Amino acid sequence: MQALSASLSDLTVPSSARDGGDVLRTKICCTIGPASYGYDNIGRLIEGGMNVARLNLSHCTREEAETVITDMRRYLKEKNTTAQVAIWLDINGPKVRTGKLAQPEVYLKAGDEFTFVNDATVIGDNTKVTSTYTKELLKVGDKLFVDDGLLSFTVKERVPEGILCSIDNSGTLGESKGINMPSYVIEDLPAVSSKDALDISFAMKHNVDFITVSCIRTLEDIQASGSLPYIISPNTTLPTIEFGYSEVRLLLGNSKTKVLAKIENKRGLDNFEDILKTADGIVIDRGYLGAEVDIEIVTMEQKRMIMLANIMGKSVMVANQMFESMKTNPRPTRSEAADTANAVMDGADGLVLSAETAIGHYVFEALDVMRRVAAQAEKNTNYLDYQVKMTRSVPKPISVSESIASSAVLTASQVNAAIIIVVTELGGTARLVAKYRPQIPVIAATLVPQTARQLAATFGLVPYYHDGTEANVIEETVNFAVELGLCKPGDIAVITSGQSVGFLEGTTTQMQLYTIPDIA
């Protein structure tokens, strides 16, 4: 059995003291960037309770991402910790972005003229910038929004080199910032470009746990529906081409990497229910979405998407501008804290820190404050009421695995169990147990390392990678839970497992009550 970390941060226990089994169940994702690069910084984030590390390949190179992945895995191995931290790779997808600047940021003044140029070799400044979409589309009077709507432009004239705009409001422009053209739906951008395909190959090579494709528009953007002109492997070098097929799944092949759909435009919102059925999980990116959808609608749609993802048993994370002010301030605003707490109380599995931990001045403070806000929100959420609503909302009939999962949660409550243990291969039943929001710790035990990491993104689950055999997985998982203080001898554990003859492989078919024995 692995040695236990000296800190309980592996178990997502916040730094503020909480009672033994009272663990933070909301998962926290930190975007890794220049402010958090380095072995020591990665270690501090892990010890601080980071569950998922996000790398945005629109803002960092593959070489930088590889260094972060190496540092994180080396830290976990050297500390011999039981912590499970997932790696999430965010690729660009059909998202229009600004190009290179002569300096990292330039200040734009309201009323000045500004040109979006079509020549990709041009280095931008406070008068111009390139964009990744160069076809004629906009007309005089149209609006453009950049960087989640923080900068607004009005088209004045089409000029030979691009479009001439007036700057509507003063602000700072950075490189690779998203551009919204809310009056238009851009159909001719591929879901996956040649660069994105290489990024997916990189993800496969490094066995990352999740990928997202930005600006998902329809079901076809993530569902395989055609044959590819190229078959790639992790070491393939692709020519400069653009794919016209919805090939994310095909590119991943037999990889166990999970695909999260990032909802950040109106078409993705309109097609959300279809996307939800195919995606492994959902990321709600309110910043980019808020530049395309009326601001008064975004909050209501966020609640709707969380509810539907909960019913489907799919992990859902809320991202963008959670603690935006903490890029430069040591504390979030009251409205940011309220926004974060409401996301937890609505049923979000996880919360995403973006610029706060990538380029902010208060990286570790942002993580700590977010955990404390989430912990308080959990304490004030009625999960018993949630379980009743979930039971009523789930379409019938349900699968055998879900029947066992929901019964395990109900039984645990009725017998006053201390923990639930789910023995799982790919994590499906563990996620179904989490779907019903039990009020006690849920240990998801697996013999598959990647499954353990992926379960770090699901609300309420304490992943445990067992490097032994199926014969002693329950015994070792119980020992793990006792040593972490989640239960003690004499307590009752509810345990689910499978399979039985006559059922499909991977189907959970068994539930048992187990009295925790004295450990020698």
Side-chain angles (χ1 to χ4, degrees), residues 116 138 142-145 151-153 155 163 165 179-181:
F116 289 87
L138 298 170
D142 283 340
K143 293 283 188 181
L144 284 85
F145 298 103
L151 285 168
S152 173
F153 303 83
V155 178
I163 52 172
C165 301
I179 301 176
N180 291 86
M181 293 169 272

Side-chain angles (χ1 to χ4, degrees), residues 356-391:
E356 302 94 330
T357 53
I359 59 174
H361 298 306
Y362 298 95
V363 171
F364 309 106
E365 292 85 351
L367 173 58
D368 179 64
V369 175
M370 178 164 279
R371 293 176 63 78
R372 289 192 282 116
V373 170
Q376 194 62 38
E378 287 180 16
K379 289 180 179 178
N380 289 276
T381 301
N382 186 342
Y383 288 111
L384 287 175
D385 184 50
Y386 181 97
Q387 291 166 19
V388 172
K389 290 180 180 178
M390 184 58 60
T391 301

Side-chain angles (χ1 to χ4, degrees), residues 323-349:
F323 283 173
E324 186 77 5
S325 66
M326 287 196 75
K327 287 194 300 183
T328 55
N329 298 318
R331 289 174 297 278
T333 65
R334 275 70 171 174
S335 58
E336 288 171 336
D339 171 47
T340 298
N342 277 314
V344 173
M345 298 174 81
D346 286 341
D349 287 80

Side-chain angles (χ1 to χ4, degrees), residues 178-359:
I179 301 176
N180 291 86
M181 293 169 272
S183 299
Y184 300 92
V185 174
I186 303 175
E187 298 283 4
D188 54 346
L189 285 176
V192 179
S193 68
S194 56
K195 176 187 180 300
D196 295 333
L198 289 172
D199 289 342
I200 292 174
S201 176
F202 174 85
M204 294 164 60
K205 175 182 176 181
H206 292 281
N207 195 30
V208 306
D209 305 300
F210 300 103
I211 65 166
T212 46
V213 180
S214 292
C215 285
I216 288 295
R217 300 162 297 194
T218 65
L219 175 66
E220 286 73 27
D221 279 352
I222 54 175
Q223 184 182 48
S225 62
S227 59
L228 283 174
Y230 294 88
I231 302 299
I232 70 170
S233 69
N235 298 314
T236 300
T237 300
L238 293 179
T240 302
I241 59 170
E242 289 191 343
F243 296 109
Y245 302 90
S246 47
E247 70 284 356
V248 176
R249 298 283 190 188
L250 285 174
L251 289 173
L252 285 172
N254 293 325
S255 168
K256 301 301 182 185
T257 297
K258 292 191 176 296
V259 180
L260 306 178
K262 203 172 176 187
I263 307 300
E264 50 183 336
N265 58 32
K266 189 176 186 304
R267 287 199 68 197
L269 186 63
D270 292 341
N271 293 297
F272 177 73
E273 293 186 45
D274 285 337
I275 292 170
L276 177 62
K277 293 173 185 176
T278 298
D280 294 311
I282 297 294
V283 179
I284 304 172
D285 187 336
R286 295 97 49 85
Y288 203 68
L289 181 63
E292 289 205 4
V293 178
D294 290 338
I295 197 68
E296 67 271 20
I297 295 174
V298 173
T299 300
M300 297 302 105
E301 288 297 326
Q302 174 179 310
K303 290 177 179 290
R304 181 181 73 92
M305 288 188 281
I306 290 174
M307 178 192 69
L308 291 174
N310 288 168
I311 290 172
M312 287 285 291
K314 302 284 183 80
S315 293
V316 55
M317 292 189 281
V318 179
N320 205 298
Q321 298 179 339
M322 302 299 290
F323 283 173
E324 186 77 5
S325 66
M326 287 196 75
K327 287 194 300 183
T328 55
N329 298 318
R331 289 174 297 278
T333 65
R334 275 70 171 174
S335 58
E336 288 171 336
D339 171 47
T340 298
N342 277 314
V344 173
M345 298 174 81
D346 286 341
D349 287 80
L351 308 169
V352 182
L353 289 164
S354 303
E356 302 94 330
T357 53
I359 59 174

Side-chain angles (χ1 to χ4, degrees), residues 397-419:
I398 60 177
S399 66
V400 172
S401 292
E402 181 156 1
S403 178
I404 296 291
S406 60
S407 297
V409 175
L410 176 61
T411 299
S413 175
Q414 291 175 333
V415 303
N416 196 30
I419 59 170

Side-chain angles (χ1 to χ4, degrees), residues 32-34 36-43 46 53 55 57 60-76 87 89 202 205-206 208:
I32 308 301
S36 46
Y37 284 157
Y39 178 87
D40 291 337
N41 286 335
I42 298 295
I46 292 172
L55 290 160
L57 287 179
C60 72
T61 66
R62 295 187 199 104
E63 291 74 22
E64 289 169 334
E66 184 171 31
T67 298
V68 171
I69 292 169
T70 300
D71 284 344
M72 194 174 86
R73 290 176 173 167
R74 180 165 67 91
Y75 183 90
L76 291 168
I87 296 172
L89 211 62
F202 174 85
K205 175 182 176 181
H206 292 281
V208 306

